[in-house]
């Protein structure tokens, strides 16, 4: 006589829930962004120092190379294709190489990122002086600052690539490429105005309604 034992049910292992892990990772990343607020002063100093160096190079070196013409990326209202071509022609091959090396491959490779970090730190530092901003989850605080600043960062680097291409390859300079570079420059300054306005608004709001 044989006994039949009940069949053993198959055990299905549930997949581990990865949502908490993703949440903790995002919270950790947001906390790192929030730490920038502690270094707002140092970042402001570094950004100002790099900006001063770039300004001195522009007025005392680059404009001598171009016969007094301002560089393309400092023209807030953009430029026409004829104006852009006049600048490139005045620079010549040697001047183009100098600006490419001493501006776009050095200081202006660093400055957009440095300025962006500075503005993020200022948004967080000034925003956290307001009770409603501090009450927001840390993820939203970090996301708010990044959404305000990152469009400018992308536009600035895109503009740098467009102008650097014109300087490195004279044959690429045509009405279409010059107009595209001009539109990126205008876009860069327009997007830069957004975080500047937000920072000014937060400073005024904190002064009017000081929070303990």
């Amino acid at each position: 006589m044989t006994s039949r034992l009940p069949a053993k049910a198959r055990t299905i292992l549930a997949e581990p829930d990865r949502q908490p892990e993703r949440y903790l990772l995002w919270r950790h990343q947001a906390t790192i962004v929030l730490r920038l607020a502690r270094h707002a002063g140092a970042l402001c100093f570094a950004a100002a120092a790099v900006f001063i160096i770039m300004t001195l190079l522009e007025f005392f070196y680059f404009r001598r190379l171009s016969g007094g013409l301002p560089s393309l990326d400092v023209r807030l209202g953009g430029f026409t294709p004829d104006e852009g071509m006049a600048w490139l022609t005045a620079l010549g091959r040697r001047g183009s190489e100098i600006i490419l090396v001493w501006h776009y491959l050095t200081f202006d490779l660093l400055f957009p990122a440095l300025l962006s970090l500075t503005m993020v730190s200022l948004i967080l530092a000034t925003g956290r002086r307001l009770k409603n901003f501090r009450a927001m989850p840390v993820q939203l605080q970090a996301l708010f600052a990044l959404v305000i600043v990152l469009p400018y960062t992308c536009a600035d680097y895109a503009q740098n690539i467009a102008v650097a291409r014109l300087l490195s390859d004279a044959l690429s300079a045509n009405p279409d490429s010059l107009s595209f570079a001009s539109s990126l420059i205008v876009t860069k300054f327009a997007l830069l105005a957004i975080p500047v306005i937000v920072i000014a608004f937060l400073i005024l709001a904190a002064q009017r309604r000081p929070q303990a």
Side-chain angles (χ1 to χ4, degrees):
M1 181 176 175
T2 59
S3 61
R4 294 185 178 181
L5 297 176
K8 195 172 185 180
R10 294 178 59 188
T11 303
I12 300 176
L13 298 177
E15 294 185 2
D17 187 3
R18 298 187 179 273
Q19 289 300 113
E21 294 181 6
R22 294 176 182 176
Y23 175 81
L24 291 175
L25 177 61
W26 168 226
R27 184 179 177 85
H28 176 67
Q29 293 172 340
T31 303
I32 294 175
V33 174
L34 290 179
R35 289 176 183 171
L36 289 173
R38 304 176 185 176
H39 308 289
L43 288 169
C44 286
F45 178 82
V50 175
F51 178 77
I52 290 172
I53 294 173
M54 292 170 61
T55 301
L56 291 175
L57 285 172
E58 167 66 20
F59 284 97
F60 294 101
Y61 190 29
F62 297 157
R63 292 200 183 185
R64 290 183 180 180
L65 298 174
S66 63
L69 297 176
S71 297
L72 299 185
D73 62 353
V74 301
R75 305 188 191 196
L76 277 70
F79 54 89
T80 65
D82 289 340
E83 291 171 340
M85 188 61 70
W87 180 71
L88 292 171
T89 302
L91 286 174
R93 182 179 181 83
R94 177 176 176 274
S96 297
E97 290 177 351
I98 290 173
I99 292 181
L100 184 62
V101 171
W102 287 102
H103 184 68
Y104 290 102
L105 296 180
T106 50
F107 293 106
D108 213 24
L109 190 63
L110 167 68
F111 186 69
L114 181 58
L115 180 58
S116 298
L117 290 174
T118 302
M119 291 190 294
V120 168
S121 70
L122 288 173
I123 290 174
L124 294 172
T126 54
R128 290 177 68 83
R129 293 167 60 186
L130 300 172
K131 182 178 180 180
N132 291 339
F133 191 91
R134 290 199 309 270
M136 294 167 54
V138 292
Q139 297 93 327
L140 287 182
Q141 293 180 33
L143 184 61
F144 173 79
L146 292 175
V147 167
I148 293 296
V149 174
L150 281 182
Y152 152 74
T153 311
C154 296
D156 201 340
Y157 277 116
Q159 172 253 291
N160 285 351
I161 293 172
V163 178
R165 183 170 181 269
L166 295 173
L167 290 168
S168 60
D169 182 12
L171 296 178
S172 67
N174 55 61
D176 290 338
S177 61
L178 289 165
S179 297
F180 179 64
S182 177
S183 64
L184 287 175
I185 290 170
V186 174
T187 302
K188 173 189 74 173
F189 284 112
L191 292 174
L192 176 60
I194 296 175
V196 172
I197 292 172
V198 170
I199 292 169
F201 174 81
L202 291 173
I203 292 174
L204 291 175
Q207 290 177 346
R208 292 180 180 179
R209 299 194 314 171
Q211 301 293 334

